[in-house]
Amino acid sequence: MFKMNEQLDAAKAASLVKQQAINLHGNLANFSFKLLKVEQNDKKDVWKVDCEFLASSADAAPNHYIYKVNVSTGAVEDIQKLG
């Protein structure tokens, strides 16, 4: 599937997105965070992270997001909320 460096980059991308979700939405996002898919984007060092989590206790179902994150800079380049 992924080569070793790609595995590390994919793991870093997922970790950056989870941390971003926790920073924005608190511990509920931490406990409800579910990683659905991580894939390399066309741009160098940018990964697409597909995930879902509860953003507030009022949410009946998890919110579904696709983040684009640059693993070299740690910057979130785009967030798309689905559904």
Side-chain angles (χ1 to χ4, degrees):
M1 187 167 156
F2 291 126
K3 295 176 185 172
M4 180 58 90
N5 284 346
E6 290 174 340
Q7 287 177 342
L8 295 174
D9 285 348
K12 183 175 180 182
S15 178
L16 288 167
V17 167
K18 184 174 182 180
Q19 192 57 52
Q20 174 81 10
I22 293 166
N23 290 344
L24 291 174
H25 303 288
N27 278 333
L28 186 58
N30 183 33
F31 295 117
S32 65
F33 188 87
K34 182 177 180 183
L35 184 64
L36 302 173
K37 186 177 182 181
V38 180
E39 63 185 2
Q40 203 163 17
N41 196 33
D42 296 336
K43 247 173 109 176
K44 183 179 178 345
D45 296 332
V46 176
W47 289 74
K48 291 192 317 189
V49 179
D50 189 352
C51 61
E52 60 184 22
F53 55 87
L54 296 171
S56 76
S57 58
D59 290 340
N63 297 288
H64 188 180
Y65 292 93
I66 295 180
Y67 283 74
K68 288 184 183 174
V69 62
N70 186 313
V71 295
S72 293
T73 65
V76 174
E77 296 192 355
D78 186 47
I79 304 172
Q80 180 182 8
K81 184 174 181 182
L82 305 176

